[in-house]
């Protein structure tokens, strides 16, 4: 088994297929009552120390209490003070009147803390959590909560930062507001372009990288180069994996197994294993893309070689590109927590997927139907049905890295939310590109083998269908208040469904179903167009 084929199998086993964002949403399972039914809001906690602007912390509002304004100019800067006792479980000996009361979590219910702070005439209460998570504060046992002041939880680090300001004897002021997330962020448009563009490039890659000087006269003048090109093409053909129906089913079962392992055993070291695998695959993919595109314009670039131990004779140009790709991947891994790291992850991921779609092929619509239908069920089960068994969505938890300190696995394309006051990223899993991409790549080969044009072929229609499917995915994402969506729920009908419908209308479904087998029928470009 060659390295490239091994790379293909590893990548396919770790595909993630849910369109999602990285923000946690309301917990509808939390107890509610008439006075305890507020939506959970993300809250901005701005601070001033002796009149100078300090840190801005993030918090989350409680199920009870008053609702915060959405803009800072609608709120009021208010002095902050630590309650005494600090857990707010009894009347405070500190004067809370006209101040934001700071309390620590524990000792009593959240509603009790809010009651005593409100009794002391506090304008709001900030509950400092004992960890970095933001816990969603609810009413115990659906009890009534007659609280009329805002109640907000902040992380442990935010509480420590505020406490340092108090220990220096400074005056601390707090401003609370809850800016809403925009209904639509332009990040989804860029993700749409990256996803569609990756599939189109992968499908047309062989056309894009065919040497320009491949005519007969050039082959006579440069027989050695022509022979080398043919040898490389034969080697690539040997590495191509033609997926069959049995392999498609086994793959989905194996992918489900790995997903469960990731869910239960995800940790920092496990994420590093995935990062290393992703870097290796990204290096291979990036090297393949750069070399292929460069040699199309300049075949002489690959003529000078050098002999290296273990590797034998290798092109100097190929070696230089490899070293560049390794440096690029290492730089991304070292700076993956930086705000700009998404660019490196997306570049490596796109190159990797283009290479994978060159190595894996669907022979016909029969295998495509088995693979995509299994992936369809796989995506829906692990996003929507798995919470019934595992108490949370397995796919979304793995994609967000909930069990690895919030560090998401790298098998995702990401783009920052440019106009979201809360920042974050919109994401799409490799599976949402690779699965439909296999079918669209097949459609391009089918059209090319049978001399089809854009209108009477299948490739263009499937690309349009895929684009529409992504739009429906993000529409579903917003209608479901940002909760992760199984993208294949929309993408499979918009790609496989379109193929079947067009095949039936054109009377070619049997040819598509058995294409590449002895029983397949030869197709000629039909006179009618759809």
């Amino acid at each position: 088994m060659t390295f490239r084929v091994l790379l293909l199998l590893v990548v396919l086993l770790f595909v993630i297929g849910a369109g999602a964002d990285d923000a946690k949403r309301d917990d509808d399972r939390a107890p509610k009552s008439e006075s305890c039914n507020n939506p959970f809001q993300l809250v901005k906690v701005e601070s001033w120390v002796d009149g100078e602007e300090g840190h801005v912390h993030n918090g989350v509002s409680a199920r009870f209490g008053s609702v915060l304004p959405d803009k800072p100019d609608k709120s009021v800067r208010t002095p902050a003070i630590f309650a005494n006792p600090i857990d707010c479980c009894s009347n405070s000996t500190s004067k809370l009147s006209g101040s934001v009361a700071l309390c620590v979590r524990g000792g009593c219910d959240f509603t009790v803390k809010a009651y005593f702070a409100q009794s002391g005439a506090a304008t709001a209460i900030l509950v400092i959590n004992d960890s970095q998570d933001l816990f969603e504060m609810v009413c115990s046992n659906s009890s009534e909560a007659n609280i009329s002041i805002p109640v907000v939880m902040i992380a442990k680090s935010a509480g420590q930062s505020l406490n340092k300001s108090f220990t220096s004897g400074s005056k601390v002021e707090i401003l609370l507001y809850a800016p809403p997330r925009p209904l639509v962020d332009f990040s989804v448009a860029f993700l749409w372009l990256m996803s569609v563009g990756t599939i189109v490039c992968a499908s047309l890659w062989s056309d894009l990288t065919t040497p320009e000087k491949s005519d007969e006269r050039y082959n006579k003048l440069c027989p050695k180069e022509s022979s080398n090109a043919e040898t490389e093409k034969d080697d690539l053909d040997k590495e191509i994996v033609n997926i069959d129906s049995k392999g498609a089913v086994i793959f989905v079962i194996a992918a489900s197994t790995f997903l469960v392992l990731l869910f239960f055993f995800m940790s920092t070291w496990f994420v590093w294993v995935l990062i290393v695998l992703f870097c290796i695959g990204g290096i291979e993919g990036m090297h393949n893309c750069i070399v292929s595109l460069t040699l199309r314009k300049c075949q002489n670039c690959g003529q000078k070689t050098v002999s290296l131990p273990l590797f034998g004779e290798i092109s100097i140009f190929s070696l230089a590109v490899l070293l560049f790709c390794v440096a690029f991947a290492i730089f991304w891994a070292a700076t993956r927590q930086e705000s700009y790291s998404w660019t490196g992850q997306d570049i490596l991921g796109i190159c990797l997927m283009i290479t994978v779609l060159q190595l894996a092929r669907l022979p016909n619509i029969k295998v495509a139907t088995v693979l995509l239908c299994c992936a369809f069920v796989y995506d829906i089960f692990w996003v929507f049905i798995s919470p019934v068994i595992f108490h949370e969505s397995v796919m979304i938890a793995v994609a967000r890295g909930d069990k690895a300190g919030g560090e998401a696995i790298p098998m995702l394309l990401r783009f920052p939310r440019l106009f979201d006051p809360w920042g974050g990223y919109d994401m799409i899993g490799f599976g949402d590109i690779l699965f439909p991409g296999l079918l669209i790549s097949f459609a391009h080969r089918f059209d090319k083998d049978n001399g089809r044009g854009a209108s009477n072929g299948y490739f263009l229609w499937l690309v349009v269908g895929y684009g529409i499917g992504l739009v429906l995915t993000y529409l579903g994402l917003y209608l479901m208040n940002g909760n992760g969506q199984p993208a294949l729920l929309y993408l499979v009908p918009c790609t496989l469904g379109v193929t079947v419908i067009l095949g039936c209308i054109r009377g070619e479904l049997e040819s598509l179903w058995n294409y590449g087998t002895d029983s397949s029928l030869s197709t000629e470009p039909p006179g009618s167009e759809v």
Side-chain angles (χ1 to χ4, degrees), residues 492-524:
V492 171
C494 289
T495 52
L496 182 62
V498 168
T499 306
V500 173
I501 292 173
L502 284 178
C504 290
I505 294 175
R506 296 170 175 174
E508 300 171 354
L509 187 58
E510 184 177 354
S511 297
L512 291 167
W513 188 265
N514 298 310
Y515 191 74
T517 64
D518 294 338
S519 58
S520 63
L521 301 177
S522 176
T523 58
E524 297 293 337

Side-chain angles (χ1 to χ4, degrees), residues 7 13 15 43 49 72 105 137 157 173 183 203 205 229 260 409 428 434 441 454 458 471 482 497 499 521-522:
L7 165 67
L13 284 176
V15 293
V43 179
V49 180
R105 180 181 177 182
M137 297 178 288
S157 60
E173 295 175 297
L183 180 62
S203 301
W205 194 254
V260 173
I409 67 173
I428 184 169
L434 290 175
S441 295
Y458 291 86
V471 172
T499 306
L521 301 177
S522 176

Side-chain angles (χ1 to χ4, degrees), residues 4 9 19 144 167 185 208 322 331 335 468 505:
R4 285 187 173 183
L9 297 177
E144 295 298 322
T167 54
D185 192 275
L208 296 174
L322 177 61
F331 177 79
T335 61
I468 294 174
I505 294 175

Side-chain angles (χ1 to χ4, degrees), residues 415-483:
F415 201 92
R417 300 191 192 97
L418 302 175
F419 300 99
D420 191 333
W422 298 101
Y425 297 85
D426 278 305
M427 304 176 291
I428 184 169
F430 284 2
D432 301 331
I433 299 174
L434 290 175
F435 285 124
L438 289 169
L439 174 60
I440 296 174
S441 295
F442 164 77
H444 173 67
R445 293 196 309 274
F446 181 86
D447 290 348
K448 189 175 180 180
D449 292 344
N450 292 278
R452 300 299 178 89
S455 59
N456 67 341
Y458 291 86
F459 173 69
L460 178 61
W461 294 101
L462 290 190
V463 171
V464 172
Y466 178 78
I468 294 174
L470 275 183
V471 172
L472 295 177
T473 299
Y474 288 111
L475 179 62
L477 186 68
Y478 293 119
L479 292 178
M480 294 292 288
N481 197 28
N483 290 301

Side-chain angles (χ1 to χ4, degrees), residues 190-464:
F190 288 100
L191 272 181
W192 187 93
L193 288 173
M194 285 194 294
S195 302
V196 175
T198 298
I199 288 181
V200 171
C201 286
S203 301
L204 302 177
W205 194 254
S206 59
D207 300 332
L208 296 174
T209 57
T210 300
E212 292 181 337
K213 300 177 181 180
S214 58
D215 54 78
E216 183 178 352
R217 179 174 175 273
Y218 177 78
N219 291 339
K220 289 180 179 179
L221 293 174
C222 305
K224 182 177 179 181
E225 294 181 13
S226 176
S227 177
N228 290 338
E230 292 177 359
T231 301
E232 291 178 2
K233 184 178 184 302
D234 292 339
D235 291 339
L236 181 61
D237 290 340
K238 291 178 182 178
E239 291 182 338
I240 290 175
V241 177
N242 286 300
I243 303 172
D244 57 19
S245 300
K246 182 180 178 180
V249 175
I250 293 175
F251 159 69
V252 173
I253 295 174
S256 297
T257 303
F258 274 96
L259 191 64
V260 173
L261 290 175
L262 286 172
F263 178 75
F264 283 111
F265 302 106
M266 178 74 81
S267 60
T268 303
W269 71 266
F270 205 158
V271 171
W272 265 108
V273 171
L274 297 181
I275 289 173
V276 171
L277 291 174
F278 173 73
C279 287
I280 294 173
I283 291 169
E284 169 68 17
M286 194 174 182
H287 178 268
N288 174 66
C289 292
I290 294 176
V291 170
S292 299
L293 289 175
T294 304
L295 292 183
R296 179 181 186 273
K297 292 290 186 180
C298 178
Q299 288 192 343
N300 292 330
C301 293
Q303 296 305 307
K304 295 182 179 180
T305 62
V306 62
S307 182
L308 294 177
L310 301 179
F311 295 96
E313 191 174 5
I314 184 173
S315 165
I316 294 178
F317 171 73
S318 179
L319 179 60
V321 172
L322 177 61
L323 294 176
F324 168 77
C325 295
V326 170
F328 186 92
I330 292 175
F331 177 79
W332 169 81
T335 61
R336 70 189 187 285
Q337 300 292 354
E338 301 295 332
S339 59
Y340 54 80
S341 66
W342 63 271
T343 55
Q345 179 172 329
D346 289 351
I347 291 172
L348 291 171
I350 289 173
C351 292
L352 172 58
M353 286 187 286
I354 289 175
T355 301
V356 168
L357 289 175
Q358 302 308 302
L359 299 177
R361 289 185 179 179
L362 295 175
N364 48 50
I365 296 302
K366 176 183 178 180
V367 176
T369 301
V370 175
L371 177 64
L372 291 180
C373 286
C374 288
F376 179 82
V377 175
Y378 162 88
D379 218 13
I380 293 175
F381 178 85
W382 291 114
V383 174
F384 284 157
I385 302 177
S386 62
V388 178
I389 303 172
F390 301 94
H391 306 295
E392 63 178 316
S393 174
V394 172
M395 184 81 78
I396 302 303
V398 170
R400 287 177 176 157
D402 292 349
K403 297 182 181 293
E407 179 157 7
I409 67 173
M411 278 68 174
L412 300 160
L413 293 186
R414 299 189 300 157
F415 201 92
R417 300 191 192 97
L418 302 175
F419 300 99
D420 191 333
W422 298 101
Y425 297 85
D426 278 305
M427 304 176 291
I428 184 169
F430 284 2
D432 301 331
I433 299 174
L434 290 175
F435 285 124
L438 289 169
L439 174 60
I440 296 174
S441 295
F442 164 77
H444 173 67
R445 293 196 309 274
F446 181 86
D447 290 348
K448 189 175 180 180
D449 292 344
N450 292 278
R452 300 299 178 89
S455 59
N456 67 341
Y458 291 86
F459 173 69
L460 178 61
W461 294 101
L462 290 190
V463 171
V464 172

Side-chain angles (χ1 to χ4, degrees), residues 23-44:
K24 293 184 178 180
R25 299 291 174 170
D26 293 355
D27 183 5
D28 294 329
R29 296 172 296 175
K32 291 183 181 181
S33 63
E34 185 176 347
S35 61
C36 190
N37 60 359
N38 292 346
F40 295 116
Q41 293 178 292
L42 292 173
V43 179
K44 292 285 187 182

